[in-house]
Amino acid sequence: MVIRMRNILVITGGGRRNGNTAQLVDAFVHGAEDAGHHVERISLMETEIKGCIGCNACRHGSSCVQKDGFTELIPQIEKADLLVFASPLYYWTISARLKAFIERFYCIAEEDPAPPFGRYEKYPEKDCVLLMTSADDLFWTFEQAVSYYRFTLVNYIGFHDKGMLLAGGCGSTNGKPQIEKTAHLQRAYAFGKNIYQEQEEA
């Protein structure tokens, strides 16, 4: 079976350089590349992106008034088939950096005269994935983050959900990363490698 190569863009919204989230992303990327996909990465720790200020300049023929790294990333976003949103759990949801990145999608939306499901505008058609890590591993640990992902990216923006990997129990926030002591890295590799396999088989 030959899997068609996809362009995958991974956006990491925080965490330590070699921390749990970085290792989870590395494993996912390794799997995706082994499957033949092209992967690019963006670290929001290195690329500054400010949150939307709601000025609506982009709704009146102007480009976004925010002068930061987002404009330079628009071609990569447009080229991508799959957007991977990766974040450690901060205050029970995704990081502020990742949320700011998502807010700026507002400036690449287009007018939609007949928006489905109550949407006001039309966004590029993409697949999406959520990768997260946390120290806690309670039944409700990721509830707020999953709610935001499903409501904002899937239900409102209209991206096609390709799945989530919620890696809890990765060690104390005050200690060294412990994700290698769990099965999460193996799961992330398999997730990346098989992300489109079932679709191709169908």
Side-chain angles (χ1 to χ4, degrees):
M1 180 189 65
V2 177
I3 297 177
R4 180 169 64 87
M5 187 273 286
R6 263 69 165 201
N7 291 311
I8 299 175
L9 181 62
V10 181
I11 308 98
T12 303
R16 304 168 190 172
R17 185 177 297 274
N18 297 307
N20 292 316
T21 304
Q23 292 181 52
L24 193 73
V25 166
D26 286 345
F28 178 91
V29 169
H30 187 193
E33 290 178 337
D34 280 355
H37 303 301
H38 174 71
V39 184
E40 294 186 37
R41 306 192 205 193
I42 298 167
S43 170
L44 300 183
M45 301 292 285
E46 300 171 2
T47 301
E48 182 189 25
I49 294 180
K50 303 171 184 175
C52 177
I53 59 174
C55 68
N56 269 348
C58 61
R59 293 297 184 270
H60 300 284
S62 174
S63 59
C64 184
V65 301
Q66 301 271 48
K67 304 306 178 187
D68 57 19
F70 188 81
T71 302
E72 298 174 4
L73 297 178
I74 291 177
Q76 290 173 268
I77 295 169
E78 292 177 338
K79 183 177 70 174
D81 300 299
L82 171 67
L83 298 175
V84 178
F85 298 90
S87 175
L89 187 77
Y90 288 162
Y91 280 81
W92 308 111
T93 190
I94 62 172
S95 70
R97 287 182 174 89
L98 188 56
K99 187 174 185 296
F101 175 81
I102 294 169
E103 286 179 4
R104 295 290 291 285
F105 276 52
Y106 190 66
C107 74
I108 61 175
E110 299 177 354
E111 183 178 355
D112 191 344
F117 309 119
R119 301 184 191 118
Y120 300 108
E121 53 267 322
K122 179 169 58 177
Y123 290 86
E125 188 168 337
K126 306 290 178 186
D127 296 328
C128 65
V129 156
L130 178 66
L131 303 179
M132 292 195 72
T133 60
S134 74
D136 292 303
D137 195 19
L138 304 169
F139 73 90
W140 46 264
T141 294
F142 295 102
E143 186 172 338
Q144 181 76 4
V146 168
S147 176
Y148 178 83
Y149 169 77
R150 286 177 173 161
F151 183 86
T152 304
L153 293 170
V154 179
N155 294 341
Y156 184 74
I157 291 179
F159 291 161
H160 306 292
D161 177 29
K162 297 294 289 182
M164 297 176 283
L165 202 165
L166 308 174
C170 293
S172 168
T173 55
N174 295 318
K176 294 181 179 180
Q178 300 289 323
I179 195 170
E180 75 280 358
K181 296 181 179 179
T182 74
H184 297 316
L185 297 181
Q186 292 87 344
R187 292 171 56 214
Y189 175 84
F191 191 18
K193 188 168 186 179
N194 299 315
I195 190 73
Y196 284 105
Q197 184 172 347
E198 183 176 323
Q199 184 174 331
E200 297 291 346
E201 289 175 345

